[in-house]
Amino acid sequence: MNLKIFDRLESEVRGYIRSFPTLFAKARGASLIDEDGRSYIDFFSGAGTLNYGHNNPILKRRLLDYVESDGLVHGLDMATLAKKEFLETFERVILQPRGLSCKIQFPGPTGTNAVEAALKLARQVKGRTNIISFTNGFHGVTGGSLAATGNSKFRDAAGFPLENVTFMPYDGYLGSGVDTIAYLERMLADRSSGVDAPAAAIVETVQGEGGVNVASTAWLQALEQVCRRHDMLLIIDDIQVGCGRTGSFFSFEGTGISPDIITLSKSISAYGLPMSLVLMKPELDIWKPSAHNGTFRGNNLAFVTAKAALLHYWQSGEFQEAVRRKGNIMRGWLEHIVNGYQKGAFNVRGRGMIQGLVTDRPELASHVSARAFENGLVIETSGARDQVLKLLPPLTIDDAVLLSGLEILEQSVADVLGVARAPINKIKFINFRSGR
Amino acid sequence: MNLKIFDRLESEVRGYIRSFPTLFAKARGASLIDEDGRSYIDFFSGAGTLNYGHNNPILKRRLLDYVESDGLVHGLDMATLAKKEFLETFERVILQPRGLSCKIQFPGPTGTNAVEAALKLARQVKGRTNIISFTNGFHGVTGGSLAATGNSKFRDAAGFPLENVTFMPYDGYLGSGVDTIAYLERMLADRSSGVDAPAAAIVETVQGEGGVNVASTAWLQALEQVCRRHDMLLIIDDIQVGCGRTGSFFSFEGTGISPDIITLSKSISAYGLPMSLVLMKPELDIWKPSAHNGTFRGNNLAFVTAKAALLHYWQSGEFQEAVRRKGNIMRGWLEHIVNGYQKGAFNVRGRGMIQGLVTDRPELASHVSARAFENGLVIETSGARDQVLKLLPPLTIDDAVLLSGLEILEQSVADVLGVARAPINKIKFINFRSGR
Amino acid sequence: MNLKIFDRLESEVRGYIRSFPTLFAKARGASLIDEDGRSYIDFFSGAGTLNYGHNNPILKRRLLDYVESDGLVHGLDMATLAKKEFLETFERVILQPRGLSCKIQFPGPTGTNAVEAALKLARQVKGRTNIISFTNGFHGVTGGSLAATGNSKFRDAAGFPLENVTFMPYDGYLGSGVDTIAYLERMLADRSSGVDAPAAAIVETVQGEGGVNVASTAWLQALEQVCRRHDMLLIIDDIQVGCGRTGSFFSFEGTGISPDIITLSKSISAYGLPMSLVLMKPELDIWKPSAHNGTFRGNNLAFVTAKAALLHYWQSGEFQEAVRRKGNIMRGWLEHIVNGYQKGAFNVRGRGMIQGLVTDRPELASHVSARAFENGLVIETSGARDQVLKLLPPLTIDDAVLLSGLEILEQSVADVLGVARAPINKIKFINFRSGR
Amino acid sequence: MNLKIFDRLESEVRGYIRSFPTLFAKARGASLIDEDGRSYIDFFSGAGTLNYGHNNPILKRRLLDYVESDGLVHGLDMATLAKKEFLETFERVILQPRGLSCKIQFPGPTGTNAVEAALKLARQVKGRTNIISFTNGFHGVTGGSLAATGNSKFRDAAGFPLENVTFMPYDGYLGSGVDTIAYLERMLADRSSGVDAPAAAIVETVQGEGGVNVASTAWLQALEQVCRRHDMLLIIDDIQVGCGRTGSFFSFEGTGISPDIITLSKSISAYGLPMSLVLMKPELDIWKPSAHNGTFRGNNLAFVTAKAALLHYWQSGEFQEAVRRKGNIMRGWLEHIVNGYQKGAFNVRGRGMIQGLVTDRPELASHVSARAFENGLVIETSGARDQVLKLLPPLTIDDAVLLSGLEILEQSVADVLGVARAPINKIKFINFRSGR
């Protein structure tokens, strides 16, 4: 595989090409196919962008029809038919059934742009500059979002001090016995703590880049209470784990919390096309016309596929049910790995179809990832020290492919540890498949 | 035309829908077609994103073929065949003939993301935080870029002080007699001026959003000299006026300057698809792997159309020649308006196919824009007070359509002023058309 | 007492005049005397500036002699005889016996100026911008120091966001069971916590303004270990509790820690004259000449009295011993109040001759302070909610006056609570006085 | 002269000891006397702190009396007799005759502290963060003031980016033909200039540290107009050139401008004792109690001498008249130097008794200063490159001493240039002395 031109021409900033060193040409569903025709099972899904798989045929048909008919492609924030139909569908299929009333902003089509818009709005609404973010949070790498992103790999590249954000410990950060919300409450209640009154808190319900850290329902509820008590907005960044990843459209469904602002991107277009949304409670919409803009904020191809996905996957509960079922398969198999190999070397955490296989040392995780790639599985590491193998298969993955992927993962673990595979009761997973 | 859903659901931040209140459905070349089948000539081109027109058939074929064949759509920064072919083509068609040696970064697919990456890199390279930007400059609205953007409409929305950028007067800002580079030099040479040593200057050769302000070659050369003298990088933001807009691929060709970093976006994908690039001199590429990332930095559909456009339009000088010719038509007609109507009410400035009809008062410009829309022409205003009508037709526009658009513009001016059309020698423009 | 001119002419920012509304004219030792000749016992000591009492006769003689002889008063940072003699004395009496090797900076003559200089130096030495400060810390109200000061009363007055400081919980902040240094260690060790690598930590061993919060020796030692582990400087701000207040010249003596930078002010001049010092380990002295200046950095009158105090009080251990003895008297009496009045209404904390009577509600503390003033005792409140009565008598106070002051304090507590004085065994305190 | 202890113990930050390397012991009037009894004429006056000379006998008597009688020395912002009498006197002698109505704040006793308070107040009043400062301006080196100070020698020592201040060209900065206020107006009027709406402009009427740059009356008036037009406060920093230096108590008297805030320090105490004031228009006094504090804000010794100076020097016009007359002597002699030595090597500028002998190269100025010191004259350099010899004799200097100092200065110039003294008509200066 000749990748020389990338070495010669592409900046040193390139990353995934180093982890997955082949030349990808095509992709279908949960399969990535390289130039030589080798196929890989995709447990990466564009970091959560391809929840519906690659080149999903249902969406593809709509996309081709639209392009063929000279549908408007680029529209800034002019009114377009594709945008109108997306709005109507989003309202009818997503918002109304969930009893959500909100205004929708189309910022630039990337996640970080949605976060930038959300933070600006929160600061304008409250007239304060400070924002609470959480350890290991990832919200993007443009100036405003980067200040709310914890990882020093990104922060140090800014070249200037990142300000106006205070970091607080995420759920579980200080160990299972420590109530980190109590600490947040203490710092905010004490007018002499040095923490300036915040406009908002921004949080992921599951931290994807941060290492598949899962906030409990109780913690999220307590966080919302803190926000209400201190007149702060609650922003849920659902860019990576929204759009069905955890088993419901929004990741916070079922917790009872009512975020003031929600950011969506990655899988919202459903086809890997750049798109992002900011949802805000109507009374917060104090934006002045054009005060936040962006050339690609009207990516109509994305509106077309987004609408198609909403219509196909979200009008009944079937899809969500399947996600939960497959999430259980993943969880079950990972627990088998945790229990079947070196005691204490692994742990598992996650929700729905985002699951993390936590290792006790970074090199173990990266070795398993590299070995998995050799074995035909694309899986990335995450976390502050890249110590967590993050499983993000397409939500639409077939059970058989999912099980194959899990088997490759386990084999790669065994390979790296230099041990034989632990015996597994496959019937259990087939049961998962057919039932429950 | 029913736009109620936008009023009800879309945030108040929406802008262009207010200027062009119809529902666009389809588009071809220089034509926008609304739901009722009404056609508008497009002198807006997605703010410079559609240099090759809407749904350009040459590019469209490639796009459809790629999607149909299940070409990989979303690839983060993994190696893909589409990306490889784009890189090869960009090197062969653009870089080599111009004697440019550089490394290429694919940041998130929006212009502001390219600017964020460029500013980070400059600050890292020089170990300084300050950046010189210019009055009326526009570089995007995410945190880092926004600090370098002049317009208070965007700045005030940030909700916190924007820092680490010093604004200096652009060419002509203080009137035609004042050498604004001399002022910059004075402030930098004086170690007691209060202006901290900058890492870089970032500048547009023609300020599109800022009101079609054109920097002279001499000014750009003097700016480069200042950068060399004070050990600063020179960043050319060619997002709006690159990709052929001024008559050459890069807007600074022919000036003799050698930028250290160049940002491209908007028309680089050629089809209205989100994509952006940062070009940097190879010795500046001190990026650490993954230190700047972004979910959509590998938009392969954009790579496919970008490559196709380079192959079709940029292998000979024909396209550039046509841009210059049509730019002259535009300029000639605008000068006719300047001379043919109220003395002093209008002025004209621009380069190639970005031309501005400057009015002496904002309401005049917006009235003409609104009237033009009624008359079937989409044209936007720009500048600090929206006092400049900005003409940005697709570079591929047919002469006949271009002349029709100019005629509508003139008619709209006459309508707003309540006068008859001034007599015009159309032969002159037909001559432009056929020969020159 | 006519205070009208203050109401008419002095800014609303005035503070203590509201707590102690009389016109003070003279002062001697621990006594403040107002215009009408009424005398007050001073448990305030200029917020720790008058450790040696008002108009201490030993120092006064030196001051008068110097002024009478036309000794140089104002010297910027020229070499003066008074400064030379202070340096010689400080080295011989303070530094050498404690085995301290350091360079001495004379910044502007206020505490905040010393802190500003210390923070600048730390940032220069480490090439980092972030500083760790602690909840309820007070380090001054000029821009740089204010960012490290916790109280929002001061912070909110800045009018712009205060940056480049991260606040961490002080010893005991989260309750007696919680190891706050473990939290600090976790945030610093995790490169994804969002806390940028700090240049230094700045801390008071006893937080005076913050409410007489006392850091334990173990906590200070653990903090030093964190600093060493993460390559940070340790700055002890000894402005309020240095110069003998806790029973040793520096408050951290006996803890075994070795601060990199120490700030001193308040009582260093010994006579209430503005003066401050920054002590730094010699290898940290990377200052460039004049890079930090200040008109009054050579206050020679202060050097004269400072030297005299060092000679008189610090050449033997007698003075320190007396401070500890009187500190025990104070503590004993306060414990009597804690135990003798409403259960749980009071608590006591402190070290040496800084002791706090902590109330369970702010209005109680301020009522006691106001009542004490009526009864002839000047005592201020401190803490985030002004809930702590802070006892800061001159270190030179006579035992009899100290006991009188404590008796007035207790009487004021009884008055405010509307109860009779609790019986007290005065013999115990007389024993304290004579022996122990 | 043994200065070894300074080399050994004092930080490298020390400055003036390097320029004037002797050990000063005593001082009287305009004379500094070193340990060996050598006397120097003082053309430095503590950088403007000793307008009334060293150990002025009139003030000294008051100071001694006060100390001897146990007058309260240190009072924070409690009401004291000394403070009351200062306020009464300042109101009667300074404010009322000039028709000034204002509230008075006593911040920490240094100039930078007054500037910090002024900037905070302006930002609070206007609810904006940006401040306009001017090239070569000096306002102090604590965080908030430092951001408004131009010299990179000080700025670079901060260790973090200094923000929330925009620098504009001072009067004459771009050459005599350029109206720098027009530039300021352009940048503020254009809402797209990148300069955020400021809360205030802060300016010195004569920039002392900046190189004795003099703002014309017309320029100051135009600046005030800009402030009014853009709803900004006008802050006059009169710390160095107030208190009579330019020939009137405030330096802006006679210009007709009406500053919103005035800062005073240096010579306000009249005896070299730390003291500073912020004067504000009454309606701006929105300070909350204690929101800006400082241990030494009630330096009662300074109040005593300040009052005495006001009574002695400012109740008639005689003192001001003498200042103007002596200023003319200085100016005349300096013009003699400009004209009598190398053509173009020198220039002169200044107002009243602050005059600068501007050289065409920094080493010339420092050589003259060093030579003057050898010849018995203390005179410092100022300006961005230390290219200006700044003459700041005490305002109370005897004519004979002034002339001697000027003669030494001229001799030092001649020495450095290696030429003979130019002939001078001394009668002219004696005439100055006796008359005019």
Side-chain angles (χ1 to χ4, degrees), chain A residues 8-9 11-13 15-16 24 28 60 68 70 77 81 91 104 116 120 141 143 266 285 290 295, chain B residues 8-13 15-16 24 28 60 70 77 81 91 104 116 120 141 143 266 285 290 295:
Chain A
R8 182 159 51 79
L9 271 190
S11 163
E12 292 301 318
V13 81
Y16 286 116
F24 293 105
R28 276 182 214 98
K60 176 173 159 181
E68 271 163 8
D70 287 339
D77 64 358
L81 194 55
E91 183 181 40
I104 302 175
E116 294 263 350
K120 284 183 188 179
V141 300
K266 293 200 186 269
D285 185 19
S290 308
T295 292
Chain B
R8 182 159 51 80
L9 271 190
E10 193 174 1
S11 163
E12 293 301 319
V13 80
Y16 286 116
F24 293 104
R28 278 182 212 99
K60 176 174 160 182
D70 286 341
D77 63 358
L81 193 55
E91 184 181 39
I104 301 175
E116 294 264 351
K120 284 184 188 181
V141 301
K266 293 203 187 264
D285 185 20
S290 308
T295 293

Side-chain angles (χ1 to χ4, degrees), chain A residues 14 32 39 50 390 410 419:
Chain A
R14 65 196 186 279
L32 286 157
S39 184
L50 295 154
K390 182 168 69 169
E410 181 180 350
V419 299

